[in-house]
Amino acid sequence: MYIGVDVGGMSIKAGLVDLNGKIVARQSVVTRAKESESAIIDDIAGLIRDLTLSCGMSMSDILGVGIGLPGAVNDDMGIVRYCCNINFVEVALVAELQKRLDFENIYISNDANCAVLGEVVFGIAKGKRDVVLITLGTGLGTGIITGGQLLKGHQSAGAEGGHMTINIGGPVCGCGKKGHFESYASATALLAQVKEAMEKHPESLLHEVAKNDGFDGKTVFTASKMGDKVAIRVLNRYLKYVGIGLVNFANLFYPEMIIIGGGISNQGDNIIKKIEKYVNKNIYSAGLTPKIKVTVSDMKNDAGIIGAACLAIKN
Amino acid sequence: MYIGVDVGGMSIKAGLVDLNGKIVARQSVVTRAKESESAIIDDIAGLIRDLTLSCGMSMSDILGVGIGLPGAVNDDMGIVRYCCNINFVEVALVAELQKRLDFENIYISNDANCAVLGEVVFGIAKGKRDVVLITLGTGLGTGIITGGQLLKGHQSAGAEGGHMTINIGGPVCGCGKKGHFESYASATALLAQVKEAMEKHPESLLHEVAKNDGFDGKTVFTASKMGDKVAIRVLNRYLKYVGIGLVNFANLFYPEMIIIGGGISNQGDNIIKKIEKYVNKNIYSAGLTPKIKVTVSDMKNDAGIIGAACLAIKN
């Protein structure tokens, strides 16, 4: 048995994962994001211990623990450089957990790295050697499998594909630089694009939808399904931005499959098909090279836990 | 002994390469670029056979042959999808050469892939596991080593980093699409940028330099060394474009080293230092992650032959 832990800004989720990638037990706690490093590490250690005990096991029954975090992680050194929304800066997370749990076999990585690993080991991309995964959320995370191995870069500082300039001088990114893929294609960016369109177009149905259902990531999808021209235009332009970034990935990594995660992946096959069409039309040497499949995960909310467990399973 | 072949639009160069990466004998022929596929394949086979004979050897004394070509190559299938400036479309080059030479052990790849392989096996990046190489020439070629292995992508269709959009709607690229890294940062792009500046600025020294020395890739460097403000401005803007693309690579691959090839690499350490500074200032998480070295090759014109031989040596 392995343990996978998915650390998020809202909650920390842990699962007992078997060798077939099935979660056989799970527990979670609320992330005390504003607390000290040490308190959060205590929470992670406590969660792992509680999960083990609740299954009538001890740590000696566990083969390995993997942990995925949203942020910059030095996998090989076991250090979290920093973590989005959590008070971690240069934290030796692996060493701290080893001490608290008296357990050696612990691995950490960025959460998008975990997700793509989960997909190639147990998920929709099982056995594939070239796969790109992007998550369109508050930010834009990327996890890449190339030639059968997880792309990490020197000291695991790579795979930061959200911070790829796609338009010089474009909107400001979460990192402070301009024109990055994230600043065009994250869920946050889409919200900003919708908001701007609403200010320009008081006649758009977007206003009505926002008034009735509340303004959120679904607003533009709902209004566009109702035939609102402004919403359709904003959405198509957004999908083109997503496509432009993915074509960049495709030209570099030429994956067999691109997996899209985050809220947008729940908005229907039609959206994913549009992105797939754009990618295959605009890749370099289109027509001479194999078609790239664009799809969503079938692990849904469990990808984080299963993917994290894979860090340990693969080691 | 191995044989490395560097196929270019002007000449085909072959070298007998020993296990230390030294070229112990060499021969070349002019590329009959307008001839049929079959004639060019004959030329390559003839060159390999002649080189072997001239050293008092036969093909049975050769351990392997590697060939680098400027274009899209399916390494695993041994097929050249197409080749810049040479009349190759979907040519089964490996099989054709195996037949002509009655010799099994032949490998092909894109020339930038060969170059970066040569650098990590015998060159300035020897032993490094994460390296990006770009060649700034007529086009913009990219060769990438990530986690110690050559990045190829599915069916070797990846590593086309010149065709990464860095500015939506920018200048037209050689491939017909707009705003690619190649359309801003190739030597061809630099020439276009200089030409545009000359049209706007009849007072610039660029005109005098071009009149005296002829207008070519060196013009802007010469005029900028003479203190011409227009030339300096064009050059700095061009170096920023090179930097923007390289930061994209750095954020994805986080290489220990970036190697720059092509004409610009002969324009002095000052130019390379400027690019290095830009990259390290603009990478994601600058300051928390190791510095990236930007440098030029020390193999000069032999990188193509030695790198091609490495295809066979590494197999």
Side-chain angles (χ1 to χ4, degrees), chain A residues 204-271:
Chain A
S204 163
L205 284 178
L206 283 163
H207 293 278
E208 207 180 304
V209 175
K211 205 174 151 192
N212 294 338
D213 306 344
F215 178 66
D216 62 17
K218 291 178 197 155
T219 308
V220 70
F221 293 97
T222 308
S224 115
K225 278 171 200 156
M226 290 164 73
D228 180 63
K229 279 185 185 158
V230 175
I232 290 169
R233 203 160 58 226
V234 171
L235 189 55
N236 282 341
R237 196 183 54 184
Y238 169 76
L239 293 177
K240 190 182 158 189
Y241 294 142
V242 173
I244 286 169
L246 289 180
V247 168
N248 283 1
F249 287 120
N251 287 340
L252 279 170
F253 299 106
Y254 217 96
E256 293 171 78
M257 182 182 275
I258 294 172
I259 303 170
I260 297 183
I264 192 188
S265 60
N266 304 320
Q267 293 303 327
D269 203 41
N270 183 30
I271 298 292

Side-chain angles (χ1 to χ4, degrees), chain A residues 154 159 163 165 248 251-252 254, chain B residues 154 159 163 165 248 251-252 254:
Chain A
H154 184 45
H163 304 284
T165 298
N248 283 1
N251 287 340
L252 279 170
Y254 217 96
Chain B
H154 185 45
H163 304 284
T165 298
N248 284 0
N251 286 341
L252 278 171
Y254 217 96

Side-chain angles (χ1 to χ4, degrees), chain B residues 228-290:
Chain B
D228 180 62
K229 278 185 186 160
V230 175
I232 291 170
R233 203 161 56 225
V234 171
L235 189 55
N236 282 341
R237 197 183 51 184
Y238 170 76
L239 294 177
K240 190 183 155 188
Y241 293 143
V242 174
I244 286 169
L246 289 181
V247 168
N248 284 0
F249 287 121
N251 286 341
L252 278 171
F253 299 107
Y254 217 96
E256 292 172 79
M257 182 181 273
I258 293 171
I259 303 170
I260 297 183
I264 192 186
S265 60
N266 303 321
Q267 293 303 326
D269 203 38
N270 183 31
I271 298 292
I272 300 299
K273 285 283 166 229
K274 275 191 182 173
I275 298 173
E276 184 177 74
K277 195 174 160 190
Y278 185 90
V279 169
N280 283 289
K281 194 178 157 190
N282 289 282
I283 39 169
Y284 182 67
S285 66
L288 289 172
T289 46

Side-chain angles (χ1 to χ4, degrees), chain A residues 82 146-147 149 151 153-154 159-160 163-168 177 248 251-254 256 282 284-285 288, chain B residues 82 146-147 149 151 153-154 159-160 163-168 177 248 251-254 256 282 284-285 288:
Chain A
Y82 52 86
T146 176
Q149 72 182 12
L151 183 143
H154 184 45
E160 294 290 357
H163 304 284
M164 169 172 69
T165 298
I166 64 165
N167 204 26
I168 299 171
K177 300 277 192 294
N248 283 1
N251 287 340
L252 279 170
F253 299 106
Y254 217 96
E256 293 171 78
N282 289 283
Y284 182 67
S285 67
L288 288 172
Chain B
Y82 54 87
T146 177
Q149 72 182 13
L151 183 144
H154 185 45
E160 294 291 357
H163 304 284
M164 168 172 68
T165 298
I166 63 165
N167 204 25
I168 298 171
K177 300 277 192 296
N248 284 0
N251 286 341
L252 278 171
F253 299 107
Y254 217 96
E256 292 172 79
N282 289 282
Y284 182 67
S285 66
L288 289 172

Side-chain angles (χ1 to χ4, degrees), chain A residues 9-306:
Chain A
M10 303 299 284
S11 66
I12 305 172
K13 294 179 278 187
L16 194 68
V17 178
D18 70 15
L19 269 171
N20 298 314
K22 297 273 169 275
I23 301 178
V24 296
R26 60 176 86 214
Q27 280 195 20
S28 67
V29 292
V30 170
T31 310
R32 297 190 294 161
K34 302 287 168 220
E35 291 294 315
S36 68
E37 286 172 19
S38 166
I40 301 168
I41 300 170
D42 284 343
D43 284 354
I44 297 174
L47 182 65
I48 293 170
R49 208 183 292 107
D50 287 352
L51 174 65
T52 314
L53 288 175
S54 75
C55 301
M57 292 177 165
S58 73
M59 286 309 291
S60 62
D61 299 311
I62 303 299
L63 294 170
V65 173
I67 302 166
L69 305 106
V73 178
N74 185 333
D75 303 22
D76 301 331
M77 303 277 282
I79 290 171
V80 182
R81 289 200 175 93
Y82 52 86
C83 199
C84 307
N85 308 317
I86 297 174
N87 189 18
F88 273 0
V89 179
E90 295 285 334
V91 173
L93 183 60
V94 167
E96 290 297 327
L97 287 173
Q98 283 172 332
K99 215 160 40 182
R100 281 171 174 74
L101 292 168
D102 191 21
F103 183 81
E104 190 64 24
N105 217 17
I106 302 176
Y107 304 91
I108 59 175
S109 193
N110 170 274
D111 54 1
N113 284 354
C114 291
V116 77
L117 201 55
E119 297 293 354
V120 295
V121 178
F122 294 119
I124 199 162
K126 193 169 178 173
K128 297 204 186 302
R129 294 177 59 78
D130 296 285
V131 178
V132 168
L133 176 143
I134 65 165
T135 55
L136 307 173
T138 311
L140 190 155
T142 56
I144 296 148
I145 301 286
T146 176
Q149 72 182 12
L150 186 62
L151 183 143
K152 291 185 179 182
H154 184 45
Q155 293 192 11
S156 311
E160 294 290 357
H163 304 284
M164 169 172 69
T165 298
I166 64 165
N167 204 26
I168 299 171
V172 176
C173 180
C175 73
K177 300 277 192 294
K178 283 180 176 179
H180 287 180
F181 186 27
E182 175 170 309
S183 62
Y184 280 95
S186 66
T188 312
L190 174 58
L191 278 183
Q193 290 158 24
V194 175
K195 218 169 155 186
E196 196 190 330
M198 286 171 74
E199 279 161 18
K200 272 192 203 153
H201 297 279
E203 81 286 4
S204 163
L205 284 178
L206 283 163
H207 293 278
E208 207 180 304
V209 175
K211 205 174 151 192
N212 294 338
D213 306 344
F215 178 66
D216 62 17
K218 291 178 197 155
T219 308
V220 70
F221 293 97
T222 308
S224 115
K225 278 171 200 156
M226 290 164 73
D228 180 63
K229 279 185 185 158
V230 175
I232 290 169
R233 203 160 58 226
V234 171
L235 189 55
N236 282 341
R237 196 183 54 184
Y238 169 76
L239 293 177
K240 190 182 158 189
Y241 294 142
V242 173
I244 286 169
L246 289 180
V247 168
N248 283 1
F249 287 120
N251 287 340
L252 279 170
F253 299 106
Y254 217 96
E256 293 171 78
M257 182 182 275
I258 294 172
I259 303 170
I260 297 183
I264 192 188
S265 60
N266 304 320
Q267 293 303 327
D269 203 41
N270 183 30
I271 298 292
I272 300 299
K273 285 282 165 230
K274 275 191 180 172
I275 298 172
E276 184 178 75
K277 194 173 162 191
Y278 185 91
V279 169
N280 283 290
K281 193 178 159 192
N282 289 283
I283 39 170
Y284 182 67
S285 67
L288 288 172
T289 46
K291 208 179 158 219
I292 296 172
K293 171 94 184 151
V294 178
T295 187
V296 298
S297 170
D298 54 6
M299 294 209 271
K300 304 285 173 193
N301 294 329
D302 290 343
I305 292 173
I306 296 168

Side-chain angles (χ1 to χ4, degrees), chain B residues 46-288:
Chain B
L47 182 65
I48 293 169
R49 207 183 289 108
D50 288 353
L51 175 65
T52 315
L53 289 174
S54 74
C55 301
M57 291 177 164
S58 72
M59 286 308 291
S60 62
D61 299 311
I62 302 299
L63 294 170
V65 173
I67 301 166
L69 304 107
V73 178
N74 185 334
D75 303 22
D76 301 329
M77 303 275 283
I79 291 172
V80 181
R81 290 199 174 94
Y82 54 87
C83 200
C84 308
N85 309 316
I86 297 173
N87 189 18
F88 274 0
V89 179
E90 295 284 332
V91 173
L93 183 60
V94 166
E96 289 297 328
L97 287 173
Q98 282 172 332
K99 214 160 39 182
R100 281 168 174 76
L101 292 167
D102 191 20
F103 183 82
E104 190 63 25
N105 217 17
I106 302 176
Y107 304 90
I108 60 175
S109 193
N110 170 274
D111 54 2
N113 284 353
C114 291
V116 77
L117 200 56
E119 297 293 355
V120 294
V121 178
F122 294 119
I124 199 161
K126 193 169 177 173
K128 296 204 186 301
R129 294 179 58 79
D130 296 284
V131 179
V132 167
L133 176 144
I134 64 165
T135 56
L136 306 173
T138 311
L140 190 155
T142 56
I144 295 147
I145 302 285
T146 177
Q149 72 182 13
L150 186 63
L151 183 144
K152 292 185 178 180
H154 185 45
Q155 293 192 13
S156 310
E160 294 291 357
H163 304 284
M164 168 172 68
T165 298
I166 63 165
N167 204 25
I168 298 171
V172 176
C173 181
C175 73
K177 300 277 192 296
K178 285 182 177 179
H180 286 180
F181 186 28
E182 176 169 308
S183 63
Y184 280 94
S186 66
T188 311
L190 174 58
L191 279 182
Q193 289 157 25
V194 175
K195 217 168 157 189
E196 196 191 332
M198 286 169 74
E199 278 161 18
K200 273 192 203 154
H201 297 278
E203 81 286 3
S204 163
L205 283 177
L206 283 162
H207 293 278
E208 208 180 304
V209 176
K211 204 173 153 193
N212 294 338
D213 306 344
F215 177 67
D216 62 16
K218 291 178 197 155
T219 309
V220 69
F221 293 97
T222 309
S224 113
K225 278 171 200 156
M226 292 162 73
D228 180 62
K229 278 185 186 160
V230 175
I232 291 170
R233 203 161 56 225
V234 171
L235 189 55
N236 282 341
R237 197 183 51 184
Y238 170 76
L239 294 177
K240 190 183 155 188
Y241 293 143
V242 174
I244 286 169
L246 289 181
V247 168
N248 284 0
F249 287 121
N251 286 341
L252 278 171
F253 299 107
Y254 217 96
E256 292 172 79
M257 182 181 273
I258 293 171
I259 303 170
I260 297 183
I264 192 186
S265 60
N266 303 321
Q267 293 303 326
D269 203 38
N270 183 31
I271 298 292
I272 300 299
K273 285 283 166 229
K274 275 191 182 173
I275 298 173
E276 184 177 74
K277 195 174 160 190
Y278 185 90
V279 169
N280 283 289
K281 194 178 157 190
N282 289 282
I283 39 169
Y284 182 67
S285 66
L288 289 172

